[in-house]
Amino acid sequence: FYPHSSLVRVRWGKMGRCAKACGIASAALAILIAIGVYNTLLAEDMQVEAATPDLSIFDDFDFEKAVDRLGKAVRIRTVSYLPHEVSSPDNFFALHHLIETSFPLVHSHLKKEVIGKYSLVYYWEGSEIDLMPYMLMSHLDVVPVENDTLNKWTHEPFAGHVIDGYIYGRGTMDDKNGVFGILEAVEHMLKHGHKPRRSVYLAFGHDEEVTGLDGMSKIAQALQKRDVKLLFAMDEGGLISIDSVPGPDRPVALIGITEKGYVDVELTVEMDSGHSSMPPRPDTPLGVLSNALINIEAYEGKPNIEMVAMLWGHLQMKLPFWIRFILRNLSAFKPLLNYVLSQDPATNALIRTTFAPTMIKGSDKRNSLPISPTANINVRIAPGSSVAEVKNIITDAINDPRVKVTLHDEESTEPSPVSPVICDQFRLIQSSIMEINPDVYVAPFVMIGATDAHHLYGLTDYVYRFAPFRATKEDLKRFHGLNERISLDDFRSGIHLYYRIMKNADEYEAGPRREWASQAHAGHSAGGNTEL
């Protein structure tokens, strides 16, 4: 009766199987989405509730004099140019003298040491000597101001002028504000008769801008010889980002918990040279070198978004639901996130090792082929990689035996270990920041640049990096750049923050205690000076 009934049954059978498969797929997708939503709903709020701090101790604080002292420090040109070289020793001695005359109580109550001729360490002994000490850090040196940029500064770079609510000059951001902020807080606490329960080291290196090998490195070595162990150390580093972290409805205080490694790599091509009128075939020396640079720039290493995920993880409850969904189900979205983060230079630098050609040298004459053209590659090494791996990567990327690859490893640093964030030490710093800055969130992140902090890991696993001021994306260009400045409000808040960290550290009970009763064998006592 139905001549095509068998065909209809076949078609309906296929459609039925297809519908069944689609139903199973839809159910599976619904289950996966439900699991993802469940994971998202389990997210914890990593922000802390910070109490309003008691800052009445500062009711009699003369902030104008503090600003004047920082301005005087800016006027002293403690510039670092090259590793293992102090070009103007008298300037560092002048800064030492300014610090000594500006903070007389610090110098009468704390033990001072000069290490490596120019770096300073102060030891403030606590009333309970068995409590593990901690360290607050900054550095005395600054980067140069190039002569050909002087006319681009709106205010003289070494004058320390106060203009429209800002202190201008080299070192206001990086990092004399930290040195003087710490010392202002300690001096004022001493003025009010405060003696800490927990001992604290104040450490100020003199060559942070050129590796810190003669400053903070030697400070760390000296303390290691005395078997000193630290509860935590806090150096400069992250700051309060106003517009660099998209998503949250508040500024984000970024605490550095690790930093990328650093190495310069020199590429050299040695080939027969001669007159430019008879260039060799098929490649000239500079042509070979140029191809090598092109191959290096084309290389993209395997991204690692774990550190970025940690940053966002601390902010997840302050973000839209769809972003939280991605973060809580990261494995499903890694390819997408890798692609998105790789498109912007700032976020790309957070997830992989970067290779940047910075210098190239050819011939000294316009009509001569170079004998040995060279190029420098500045490499910032992501956590999880190493200096040794960098050489292998570059050699493989170039794939040309005519290019010699040489590491300048005497000035290199390996990526730092990653300091814990789910711990009382991190929360102590986090809560202190939020006490002074109740309008911010706090999150950990990777430091792209190098600091003195990486020298401290022999003393503690808890090494953190935070500079107490606010900055927009435009302000970030002022670091090592033009018109460096810090607002008066930020300088005041920084002094308050160091005070609160010291007060909160005194109240810290959960952390480990020393296994020894005292450090009398280390030669620490109140007052006096020691030079090592």
Side-chain angles (χ1 to χ4, degrees):
F1 187 74
Y2 295 101
H4 303 295
S5 59
S6 60
L7 180 59
V8 170
R9 285 195 299 271
V10 169
R11 288 178 175 174
W12 274 107
K14 288 182 178 180
M15 292 176 65
R17 288 192 296 272
C18 182
K20 183 177 180 180
C22 289
I24 294 172
S26 298
L29 180 60
I31 291 172
L32 290 175
I33 292 174
I35 293 172
V37 171
Y38 179 74
N39 287 338
T40 306
L41 295 175
L42 290 178
E44 296 182 56
D45 191 348
M46 304 301 290
Q47 302 304 305
V48 299
E49 292 295 329
T52 301
D54 179 6
L55 298 175
S56 60
I57 190 175
F58 289 101
D59 289 348
D60 63 344
F61 183 67
D62 193 332
F63 183 62
E64 287 187 8
K65 288 186 176 178
V67 171
D68 181 64
R69 286 186 282 267
L70 178 57
K72 289 178 179 178
V74 171
R75 289 192 280 277
I76 300 174
R77 305 186 182 203
T78 50
V79 178
S80 287
Y81 292 97
L82 295 170
H84 312 300
E85 178 184 297
V86 176
S87 60
S88 300
D90 288 346
N91 289 353
F92 283 90
F93 296 143
L95 184 56
H96 291 184
H97 179 71
L98 174 64
I99 289 172
E100 188 167 350
T101 55
S102 297
F103 306 105
L105 296 178
V106 168
H107 287 80
S108 62
H109 288 77
L110 277 63
K111 177 71 175 180
K112 172 188 170 183
E113 299 180 60
V114 181
I115 292 182
K117 293 186 179 181
Y118 309 103
S119 292
L120 301 177
V121 181
Y122 296 88
Y123 177 70
W124 196 3
E125 186 172 274
S127 59
E128 297 186 29
I129 195 65
D130 62 320
L131 292 177
M132 186 176 283
Y134 61 99
M135 179 182 286
L136 300 178
M137 307 162 55
S138 287
H139 61 87
L140 305 171
D141 62 324
V142 300
V143 296
V145 175
E146 301 298 333
N147 288 331
D148 59 358
T149 67
L150 288 174
N151 62 344
K152 299 178 182 178
W153 283 71
T154 57
H155 305 286
E156 210 247 308
F158 289 102
H161 289 152
V162 179
I163 309 290
D164 297 330
Y166 291 89
I167 310 172
Y168 280 82
R170 185 64 88 220
T172 51
M173 298 172 81
D174 186 16
D175 183 36
K176 289 179 179 177
N177 77 88
V179 174
F180 278 72
I182 292 168
L183 291 171
E184 293 286 356
V186 173
E187 181 80 5
H188 199 66
M189 293 168 77
L190 289 167
K191 176 183 175 181
H192 283 260
H194 179 78
K195 182 177 177 63
R197 290 177 58 234
R198 186 184 300 278
S199 300
V200 54
Y201 289 90
L202 315 177
F204 309 127
H206 73 274
D207 62 341
E208 187 271 352
E209 299 292 0
V210 287
T211 72
L213 292 174
D214 294 326
M216 196 57 67
S217 178
K218 289 189 176 180
I219 291 173
Q221 292 171 31
L223 296 181
Q224 282 181 284
K225 288 179 181 178
R226 303 170 192 173
D227 296 324
V228 172
K229 295 293 182 184
L230 300 175
L231 182 68
F232 68 89
M234 192 180 90
D235 194 7
E236 62 161 337
L239 42 72
I240 298 176
S241 170
I242 294 176
D243 57 1
S244 299
V245 182
D249 57 356
R250 297 183 184 182
V252 179
L254 298 169
I255 301 176
I257 58 171
T258 184
E259 59 190 60
K260 298 179 79 172
Y262 177 105
V263 68
D264 283 301
V265 183
E266 184 176 277
L267 308 182
T268 307
V269 177
E270 295 187 359
M271 294 173 58
D272 291 338
S273 62
H275 200 277
S276 61
S277 62
M278 295 179 291
R281 300 284 294 168
D283 300 308
T284 64
L286 270 179
V288 173
L289 184 60
S290 298
N291 284 332
L293 294 176
I294 290 171
N295 289 338
I296 291 170
E297 287 197 324
Y299 172 80
E300 280 200 348
K302 182 179 179 181
N304 182 349
I305 65 171
E306 298 303 324
M307 299 304 301
V308 177
M310 188 180 294
L311 186 161
W312 288 106
H314 260 70
L315 300 172
Q316 58 187 338
M317 295 304 292
K318 313 302 179 184
L319 300 172
F321 183 85
W322 67 270
I323 297 180
R324 274 187 285 150
F325 184 87
I326 292 174
L327 292 171
R328 294 292 296 178
N329 302 277
L330 192 61
S331 58
F333 293 96
K334 271 188 177 182
L336 174 63
L337 284 177
N338 286 338
Y339 173 79
V340 172
L341 294 173
S342 297
Q343 303 311 302
D344 183 270
T347 53
N348 181 64
L350 293 174
I351 64 172
R352 55 167 49 91
T353 297
T354 58
F355 304 82
T358 56
M359 301 171 67
I360 189 166
K361 184 179 184 300
S363 173
D364 293 329
K365 295 183 66 177
R366 294 180 180 177
N367 62 348
S368 294
L369 296 173
I371 298 175
S372 300
T374 62
N376 185 81
I377 311 295
N378 183 254
V379 185
R380 302 302 175 109
I381 311 167
S385 186
S386 66
V387 172
E389 185 179 30
V390 163
K391 184 173 184 179
N392 294 333
I393 289 172
I394 289 179
T395 301
D396 292 343
I398 294 172
N399 193 28
D400 190 334
R402 296 172 295 180
V403 182
K404 181 182 177 182
V405 179
T406 305
L407 297 181
H408 290 288
D409 50 8
E410 70 280 1
E411 299 169 14
S412 67
T413 60
E414 297 287 356
S416 296
V418 179
S419 296
V421 295
I422 309 300
C423 63
D424 292 330
Q425 289 92 328
F426 184 89
R427 280 190 289 270
L428 186 155
I429 297 172
Q430 179 183 20
S431 61
S432 300
I433 292 171
M434 296 182 75
E435 285 176 2
I436 303 302
N437 303 277
D439 63 324
V440 309
Y441 300 131
V442 177
F445 88 121
V446 179
M447 283 286 298
I448 297 175
T451 71
D452 268 341
H454 73 272
H455 296 295
L456 271 290
Y457 282 94
L459 300 171
T460 180
D461 293 333
Y462 301 87
V463 181
Y464 303 102
R465 304 154 180 86
F466 180 73
F469 56 86
R470 299 173 184 236
T472 63
K473 288 181 180 179
E474 285 300 308
D475 289 328
L476 295 178
K477 298 176 184 178
R478 301 178 190 273
F479 278 96
H480 295 194
L482 301 175
N483 300 313
E484 185 177 344
R485 70 183 188 181
I486 187 172
S487 74
L488 297 180
D489 288 342
D490 282 346
F491 183 45
R492 187 197 302 270
S493 294
I495 296 169
H496 293 171
L497 174 64
Y498 291 123
Y499 165 72
R500 287 306 305 165
I501 287 175
M502 287 184 276
K503 290 291 289 183
N504 288 334
D506 273 358
E507 298 168 3
Y508 178 92
E509 297 290 352
R513 289 170 172 257
R514 290 200 185 108
E515 294 179 359
W516 55 92
S518 71
Q519 291 197 113
H521 65 281
H524 290 304
S525 59
N529 298 294
T530 301
E531 181 166 344
L532 298 181

